[in-house]
Amino acid sequence: MPTDLRRRTLVLKAGHWYLVAGGTEGLRTYRISRIVDLHVLDERFERPEGFDLADHWQNYLQFFDARRHQGEATLRLSPSTFYRLPHLWDSAMADAAQRTATSPDADGWVRVAIPIESVEQALPELLKLGADAEILAPAGLREHMTQTLDALTRIYRRSV
């Protein structure tokens, strides 16, 4: 898709480069590794007057998370895992867990609701939590976890 790249800014986020560029539809953000064709011009560019990169980036991330997180999962978490979430997950998931946490149950565990992209995408994030998390919903995610754990059990129970 052709874009007028005379108004552009490069951003480094979590080891990935992004290009924020002005086009006919306004500012867009492109991941550099996904650009498959470009033509280098001799022109220079100037950042638009009043452009605030930090504000733009924050808005972009919120919009991106809203688009990619189309589902929700309900979990039960141990106290230690609940407090470690900011170090284990991206901010959208960790913040949602903090916002939706219930009061601790008799075992000290809390229920949370987190946004998920898909069952397949959520599973690796939830595996990070080990036995300190229980998937309550959706049923498809719980079943996918069960199948994965069964497969892991078969692998690790084999004699070495």
Side-chain angles (χ1 to χ4, degrees):
M1 165 185 321
T3 300
D4 177 3
L5 297 181
R6 287 176 286 196
R7 299 178 314 207
R8 58 194 182 263
T9 300
L10 291 174
V11 177
L12 178 63
K13 170 74 170 153
H16 300 284
W17 284 98
Y18 295 85
L19 174 69
V20 178
T24 55
E25 301 151 9
L27 290 177
R28 301 231 10 220
T29 302
Y30 304 89
R31 189 164 166 172
I32 296 290
S33 63
R34 295 197 176 135
I35 296 174
V36 294
D37 187 35
L38 65 88
H39 301 280
V40 178
L41 305 175
D42 291 330
E43 299 176 27
R44 295 187 49 83
F45 70 95
E46 297 295 326
R47 194 178 282 189
E49 179 109 11
F51 176 72
D52 184 324
L53 179 58
D55 282 347
H56 170 79
W57 193 251
Q58 185 63 37
N59 290 333
Y60 168 75
L61 290 177
Q62 289 173 350
F63 176 70
F64 179 77
D65 284 340
R67 281 185 303 145
R68 77 180 169 117
H69 291 138
Q70 298 296 312
E72 183 176 273
T74 304
L75 311 174
R76 187 170 169 264
L77 303 173
S78 73
S80 61
T81 292
F82 178 71
Y83 291 109
R84 289 186 9 245
L85 291 179
H87 305 288
L88 298 171
W89 285 345
D90 69 33
S91 61
M93 291 175 66
D95 292 348
Q98 296 291 327
R99 277 193 318 276
T100 62
T102 63
S103 296
D105 64 17
D107 297 323
W109 289 44
V110 297
R111 285 180 185 234
V112 300
I114 59 164
I116 62 170
E117 192 172 331
S118 67
V119 167
E120 293 75 20
Q121 173 276 333
L123 189 66
E125 294 301 316
L126 298 177
L127 281 168
K128 290 178 189 178
L129 308 180
D132 287 324
E134 177 185 4
I135 300 166
L136 302 175
L141 179 55
R142 188 175 173 98
E143 179 61 29
H144 194 36
M145 177 66 83
T146 301
Q147 292 169 357
T148 300
L149 295 176
D150 286 346
L152 284 168
T153 300
R154 285 191 301 276
I155 291 169
Y156 285 99
R157 291 234 169 135
R158 287 187 213 154
S159 58
V160 182

